């Protein structure tokens, strides 16, 4: 009788490969700076908009229009920030997604299942929480998508500052989940918040994207070719009625993110390295500066928790995101052959899931689109996004501080490099060459100890004096 075979369980959130771990560490370093700048910009916006002597100037600058009217691009400063600069942010998100699809966690369908399910549940549950809150309170359902988004820069910045000793797999989980979250947020914007379509402009944008793709495949190089073409594609996409940020993510997805043998970096990685500082250091902070400037008062904050639309946003971000992501991860482990890594416990996952309630950038954008034409409700929803993001950040900080203390010793173990070859020993424990090097190191140390003992012994003999 043939022996029965069992399929080994797939470990979720297990130890990353060394290249993937290096990529996550680099992304965290960059996003930490971007998150700090984003926070400073949001605080500056709130101060600027809430000081009576400065409030008028904030409104004047935000609503100042410039740009070519003939091309349909005579936009306000706030509009340029939301539709123009934010396209750079989505361009980088597109490259990140492409990289995850071809070289990261999303390349392996089994590994991809976890962040995809977690991201979907982390969007569906907040939308459900918002909908139920507004159905019971007779509010508007137009804002159902506002609490579905996660802000990559803010969430990773908090994780990088607070969760310094958390396993790299948890950090990669949040990074991958946020990228997938962004993809679905883009789809939501494209499907549900697209105005009347101009098919001529849309056709022109599609043709531009095809030209962009052909030039990439032909190996054509030079920023002077791609930057003007990207601007044309963006302008056509904006005039088509489809949100202009779609152009950014489409171009990001077209870049090659696999390396040839003679390359240290793929074109996608190289361009992301160049553009990410522009996105994190300029585009996103400026968007926050002209989107987060809402009037805040005791009465306004009180309304956040009494109006169904704003309460739905806060509950969606704080409760819906954490429950959805944690629940999606747990269900994946419960009903598939996946199991949690032995190095982790479920409270670790919940602590990281709570970070995803920081909606900020994309949530503010969707809030503007959902309640366009109602300036008062738009500002109230923005205040709700800020409140929900702040509560999530504080909750996640407390949970991460508790979990982080546990992992400090584990991090020291994972970073140990006794043979000083630049590769942590834990990645070489199954390499025969590593054990040979370690044996040689131990033998040299033993020989050195013997030599020192002999020298000490000889010196001792000489101290005995004349016979």
């Amino acid at each position: 009788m043939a022996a029965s075979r069992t399929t080994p369980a797939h470990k979720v959130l297990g130890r990353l490969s060394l290249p993937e771990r290096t990529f996550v560490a680099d992304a965290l370093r960059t996003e930490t700076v971007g998150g700090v700048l984003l926070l400073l910009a949001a605080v500056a916006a709130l101060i600027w908009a809430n000081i009576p002597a400065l409030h008028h100037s904030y409104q004047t600058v935000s609503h100042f229009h410039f740009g070519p009217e003939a091309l349909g691009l005579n936009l306000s400063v706030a509009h340029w920030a939301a539709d123009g600069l934010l396209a750079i942010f989505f361009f980088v998100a597109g490259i990140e997604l492409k990289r995850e699809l071809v070289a990261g966690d999303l390349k392996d369908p089994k590994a991809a299942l976890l962040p995809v399910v977690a991201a979907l549940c982390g969007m569906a549950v907040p939308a459900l929480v918002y909908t139920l809150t507004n159905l019971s309170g007779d509010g508007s359902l137009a804002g159902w998508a506002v609490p579905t988004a996660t802000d990559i820069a803010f969430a990773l910045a908090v994780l990088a500052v607070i969760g310094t000793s958390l396993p790299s797999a948890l950090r990669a989980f949040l990074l991958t989940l946020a990228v997938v979250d962004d993809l679905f947020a883009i789809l939501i914007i494209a499907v549900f918040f697209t105005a009347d379509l101009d098919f001529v402009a849309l056709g022109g944008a599609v043709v531009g994207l095809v030209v962009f793709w052909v030039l990439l495949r032909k190996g054509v190089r030079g920023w002077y070719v791609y930057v003007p073409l990207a601007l044309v594609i963006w302008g056509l996409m904006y005039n088509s009625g489809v949100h202009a940020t779609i152009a950014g993510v489409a171009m990001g997805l077209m870049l090659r993110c696999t390396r040839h043998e003679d390359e240290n970096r793929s074109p996608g990685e190289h361009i992301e390295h160049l553009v990410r500082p522009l996105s994190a250091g300029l585009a996103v902070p400026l968007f926050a500066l002209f989107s987060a400037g809402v009037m805040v008062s005791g009465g306004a904050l009180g309304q956040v928790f009494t109006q169904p639309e704003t309460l739905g946003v806060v509950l969606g971000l704080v409760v819906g995101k954490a429950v959805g992501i944690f629940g999606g991860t747990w269900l994946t482990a419960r009903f598939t052959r996946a199991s949690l890594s032995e190095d982790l416990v479920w409270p670790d996952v919940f602590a990281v899931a709570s970070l995803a309630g920081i909606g900020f950038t994309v949530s503010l954008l969707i809030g503007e689109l959902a309640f366009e034409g109602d300036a008062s409700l738009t500002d109230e929803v923005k205040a709700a996004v800020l409140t929900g993001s702040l509560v999530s950040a504080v909750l996640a900080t407390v949970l991460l501080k508790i979990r982080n203390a546990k992992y400090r010793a584990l991090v020291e173990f994972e970073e140990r490099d006794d043979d000083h070859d630049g590769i942590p020993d834990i990645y070489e424990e199954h390499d025969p060459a590593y054990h040979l090097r370690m044996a040689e190191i131990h033998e040299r140390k033993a020989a050195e100890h013997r030599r020192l003992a002999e020298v000490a012994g000889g010196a001792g003999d000489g101290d005995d004096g004349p016979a």
Side-chain angles (χ1 to χ4, degrees), residues 180-195:
V180 176
D181 185 287
D182 270 347
L183 171 64
F184 287 112
I186 291 162
L187 292 175
I188 287 173
I189 291 171
V191 174
F192 296 100
F193 299 105
T194 294

Side-chain angles (χ1 to χ4, degrees), residues 95-121:
I95 299 175
E96 288 178 334
L97 178 62
K98 178 65 173 289
R99 188 197 164 280
E100 291 295 330
L101 287 168
V102 301
D105 283 348
L106 299 183
K107 181 180 179 181
D108 177 8
K110 291 182 180 178
L113 180 65
L114 179 68
V116 170
V117 171
L120 285 172
C121 292

Side-chain angles (χ1 to χ4, degrees), residues 433-446:
Y434 164 73
H435 292 289
L436 181 60
R437 287 198 303 274
M438 293 304 299
E440 291 173 351
I441 290 171
H442 291 313
E443 179 58 33
R444 285 199 301 270
K445 288 181 178 179

Side-chain angles (χ1 to χ4, degrees), residues 350-424:
F350 185 81
V352 171
S354 63
L355 264 179
I358 304 176
F360 209 78
T361 306
V362 184
S363 288
L364 289 175
L365 175 62
I366 295 177
E368 290 181 354
L369 297 173
F371 297 104
E372 191 174 8
D374 190 337
S376 176
L377 189 53
T378 298
D379 282 350
E380 290 166 359
V381 168
K382 284 183 179 180
V385 169
L386 295 175
T387 302
S389 298
L390 178 61
V391 173
S392 292
V394 171
L395 174 64
T397 297
V398 172
L399 295 175
L400 288 171
K401 290 283 281 186
I402 295 172
R403 302 308 306 165
N404 198 57
K406 174 193 170 187
Y407 287 106
R408 286 201 186 98
L410 180 62
V411 167
E412 291 175 5
F413 172 73
E414 288 196 344
E415 296 294 337
R416 187 166 53 86
D417 184 17
D418 289 341
D419 57 351
H420 304 291
D421 64 349
I423 301 175

